Amino acid sequence: QVQLVESGGGLMQAGASLRLSCANSGRTCSTCAMGWFRQAPGKEREFVAGHSVIGDSTYYADSVKGRFTISRDNAKKTLYLQMNSLKAEDTAVYYCALRWGGYYYSRKADEYTYWGQGTQVTVSS
């Protein structure tokens, strides 16, 4: 069983930086793609960033490209999301997800198998 736990959220001012972590305390899958999603109040969950095992490649939503960086430490079983130059529109609950059996990331939330409980990020302008 995979158990994902996010941490690092908080209340920040616009322009600040924040790093989210997603620790897997359960079954390991270093060959599974992972991603970060977010959901703002009244909105659907949206893709933020993804990591594909093949090619060790990363992908980003246009809204965060150049500001956010996804990284992964398999030895620590942890996925990270470094967020710089935060904006008020980045306010949301952030979720990490793991795609069991999938080497490539996906922008579709329903293609991920396991999810964390989420961590709140609030950016004040």
Side-chain angles (χ1 to χ4, degrees):
Q1 184 76 3
V2 173
Q3 294 181 318
L4 304 176
V5 179
E6 301 96 338
S7 62
L11 174 62
M12 310 297 291
Q13 288 192 333
S17 296
L18 194 63
R19 188 177 80 160
L20 304 183
S21 299
C22 170
N24 180 2
S25 62
R27 188 178 177 187
T28 302
C29 182
S30 59
T31 57
C32 295
M34 295 189 72
W36 286 97
F37 288 75
R38 68 186 181 186
Q39 188 166 18
K43 295 186 177 181
E44 293 187 353
R45 192 168 297 190
E46 65 173 358
F47 169 79
V48 174
H51 174 264
S52 291
V53 175
I54 302 297
D56 192 23
S57 302
T58 57
Y59 305 87
Y60 300 92
D62 288 344
S63 59
V64 306
K65 198 173 297 182
R67 299 188 297 122
F68 290 11
T69 303
I70 185 173
S71 62
R72 184 170 180 172
D73 187 333
N74 286 328
K76 295 183 178 179
K77 298 169 61 176
T78 302
L79 182 74
Y80 301 99
L81 184 68
Q82 177 67 42
M83 305 187 294
N84 298 329
S85 301
L86 284 165
K87 303 177 180 179
E89 50 263 44
D90 294 321
T91 295
V93 177
Y94 283 73
Y95 300 89
C96 65
L98 183 144
R99 193 179 185 195
W100 192 266
Y103 296 123
Y104 295 98
Y105 92 106
S106 172
R107 294 175 180 263
K108 299 179 180 179
D110 60 7
E111 293 188 356
Y112 287 81
T113 317
Y114 297 99
W115 291 83
Q117 83 291 346
T119 185
Q120 176 71 48
V121 173
T122 302
V123 183
S124 62
S125 57

